[in-house]
């Protein structure tokens, strides 16, 4: 594993340098949206909903939409004014009974590994938590934002679990809950307790398996072995923004030329092969066209008129 954060756990005058590791990972198989015909990946453009134009990443900002539909646009300078913390300290605020921390509040889990020189204070904190049967409520800054978390013991390692803020927990406001009060009859409740006792036991994670993932992996493997694979052609490594921008500009130029009756770029490209086949003939026509203006025919006509006039005079 690779550590994602370095800091120190501080409680009282004791400081324990630690490294932070993600304690969980997802094994879900990820899918990509592809063209069913040839397996090519589907691309999405960043298009403005107002003008219909594609927007570059550099021109994208964060916006907060109010309940009445207004949009507040925030830039980097606005975020720089917000309170942020870059502290590398996991500060213990309280040691509280485990049962006071509802699992609903817990968010992400991380392993804490002690530095080589911090083995003793790390063990001291771990054993103290075990004996007291408590968890440590801490404040910590991860990615510049302060949050609350708890430290608890998991085997031989201390685990930090970040917590959600109280206003992030939704209240179960259901009208039908009132109808459940005193709904169970004594005899029914007795049978329910008997069922609980019958199914009572200890949790063993090995008794459960993700049969959907196993079946999906077997399906993919069978298709691979059966040759049911679409070999999509290699995609050009050009950036989509530049290509799309050039294409849009070219279409605009062609549209403008077409409206004026001029030859578009696509028509010019279509004419190139024909020009190559004629070769010297085309060149000969061009040279003839250039020589014809040299015959000063318009200048001779006035001279002929003058000669005719002299004959009449005689």
């Amino acid at each position: 594993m690779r550590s994602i954060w370095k800091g120190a756990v501080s409680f009282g005058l004791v400081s324990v340098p630690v490294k932070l590791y993600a304690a969980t990972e997802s094994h879900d198989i990820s899918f990509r949206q592809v063209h069913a015909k040839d397996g090519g990946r589907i691309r999405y453009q960043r298009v403005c909903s107002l003008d219909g134009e594609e927007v570059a990443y550099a021109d994208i900002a964060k916006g907060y939409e109010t309940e009445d539909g207004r949009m507040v646009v925030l830039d980097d300078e606005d975020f720089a004014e917000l309170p942020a913390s870059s502290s590398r300290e996991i500060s213990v605020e309280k040691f509280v009974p485990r049962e006071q921390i509802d699992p609903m509040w817990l968010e992400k889990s991380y392993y804490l590994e002690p530095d080589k020189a911090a083995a003793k204070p790390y063990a001291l904190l771990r054993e103290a938590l075990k004996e007291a049967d408590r968890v440590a409520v801490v404040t910590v800054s991860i990615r510049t934002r302060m949050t609350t978390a708890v430290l608890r013991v998991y085997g031989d390692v201390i685990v930090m679990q970040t917590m959600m803020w109280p206003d992030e927990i939704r209240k179960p406001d259901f009208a039908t809950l009132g109808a459940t009060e005193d709904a169970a009859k004594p005899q029914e409740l007795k049978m329910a307790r008997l069922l609980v006792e019958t199914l009572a036991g200890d949790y063993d994670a090995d008794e459960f398996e993700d049969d959907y993932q196993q079946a999906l992996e077997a399906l993919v493997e069978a298709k691979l072995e059966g040759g049911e694979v679409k070999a999509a052609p290699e995609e050009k490594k050009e950036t989509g923004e530049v290509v799309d921008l050039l294409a849009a500009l070219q279409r605009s130029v062609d549209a403008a030329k077409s409206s004026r009756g001029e030859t578009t770029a696509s028509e010019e490209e279509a004419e190139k092969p024909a020009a190559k086949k004629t070769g010297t003939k085309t060149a000969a026509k061009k040279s003839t066209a250039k020589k014809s203006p040299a015959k000063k025919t318009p200048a001779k006509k006035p001279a002929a008129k003058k000669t005719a006039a002299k004959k009449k005079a005689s």
Side-chain angles (χ1 to χ4, degrees):
M1 291 189 292
R2 185 175 63 179
S3 63
I4 60 175
W5 186 88
K6 291 182 180 181
V9 179
S10 64
F11 59 106
L13 300 177
V14 180
S15 180
V16 187
V18 294
K19 296 178 183 178
L20 202 68
Y21 298 84
T24 60
E25 60 183 359
S26 175
H27 286 164
D28 283 348
I29 295 178
S30 60
F31 296 95
R32 298 188 184 278
Q33 289 189 323
V34 298
H35 189 188
K37 179 181 178 181
D38 53 23
R41 289 176 58 182
I42 303 300
R43 293 183 176 274
Y44 293 92
Q45 294 180 334
R46 301 173 298 278
V47 178
C48 176
S49 61
L50 298 180
D51 56 26
E53 296 182 359
E54 186 175 2
V55 183
Y57 274 120
D59 297 328
I60 295 179
K62 290 183 173 66
Y64 176 83
E65 187 173 4
T66 61
E67 292 183 358
D68 57 2
R70 291 179 298 171
M71 188 67 69
V72 181
V73 180
L74 304 174
D75 55 24
D76 293 340
E77 293 182 0
D78 295 322
F79 284 100
E81 297 177 359
L82 297 178
S85 175
S86 58
S87 173
R88 291 284 178 175
E89 182 180 46
I90 301 174
S91 179
V92 175
E93 307 295 336
K94 285 183 178 180
F95 292 99
V96 302
R98 287 187 302 108
E99 60 271 15
Q100 290 186 2
I101 304 299
D102 194 304
M104 183 78 79
W105 304 339
L106 302 179
E107 195 173 12
K108 295 182 179 179
S109 301
Y110 302 92
Y111 290 135
L112 297 184
E113 178 197 22
D115 279 357
K116 293 180 179 179
K120 186 173 182 178
Y122 184 92
L124 177 65
L125 175 59
R126 182 187 62 198
E127 298 306 317
L129 289 173
K130 278 184 180 181
E131 291 183 7
D133 196 22
R134 290 175 176 259
V135 297
V137 176
V138 303
T139 53
V140 59
S141 176
I142 300 178
R143 297 184 180 88
T144 72
R145 184 175 179 180
M146 185 68 70
T147 185
T148 57
V150 294
L151 301 183
R152 66 183 184 87
V153 179
Y154 179 76
D156 293 330
V157 66
I158 297 176
V159 173
M160 183 179 78
Q161 293 179 285
T162 56
M163 299 173 64
M164 305 186 77
W165 296 103
D167 60 353
E168 292 179 320
I169 306 298
R170 302 172 67 182
K171 294 182 179 180
D173 186 12
F174 304 124
T176 54
L177 287 178
T180 63
E181 295 181 6
D182 302 325
K185 297 178 180 179
Q187 189 63 25
E188 294 171 336
L189 183 57
K190 181 179 180 181
M191 293 300 297
R193 288 172 180 167
L194 179 60
L195 177 61
V196 171
E197 292 176 1
T198 304
L199 296 177
D202 296 324
Y203 174 71
D204 183 2
D206 294 333
E207 294 179 359
F208 304 90
E209 58 183 23
D210 189 351
D211 56 351
Y212 178 84
Q213 182 180 346
Q214 292 176 0
L216 183 58
E217 290 176 350
L219 175 62
V220 172
E221 187 63 29
K223 284 185 173 289
L224 286 172
E225 293 178 356
E228 298 182 48
V229 181
K230 295 185 182 296
E234 282 191 19
E235 300 176 358
K236 294 181 179 179
K237 294 184 179 180
E238 299 171 340
T239 57
E241 293 179 9
V242 176
V243 174
D244 293 340
L245 178 59
L246 290 176
L249 290 173
Q250 186 61 64
R251 287 194 297 270
S252 300
V253 172
D254 288 347
K257 284 185 175 182
S258 180
S259 64
R260 296 197 300 266
E262 299 179 10
T263 304
T264 64
S266 58
E267 292 171 343
E268 290 176 357
E269 287 293 328
E271 291 177 359
K272 282 184 179 180
K276 289 180 180 179
K277 288 180 181 179
T278 54
T280 54
K281 290 183 180 180
T282 306
K285 288 181 180 179
K286 288 183 178 178
S287 61
T288 306
K290 289 180 180 177
K291 289 180 180 180
S292 56
K295 297 179 182 179
K296 299 182 180 179
T297 306
K300 288 183 178 181
K301 287 183 179 179
K305 289 181 180 178
K306 288 180 180 179
T307 305
K310 284 181 180 180
K311 287 182 179 180
K312 287 181 180 179
S314 60

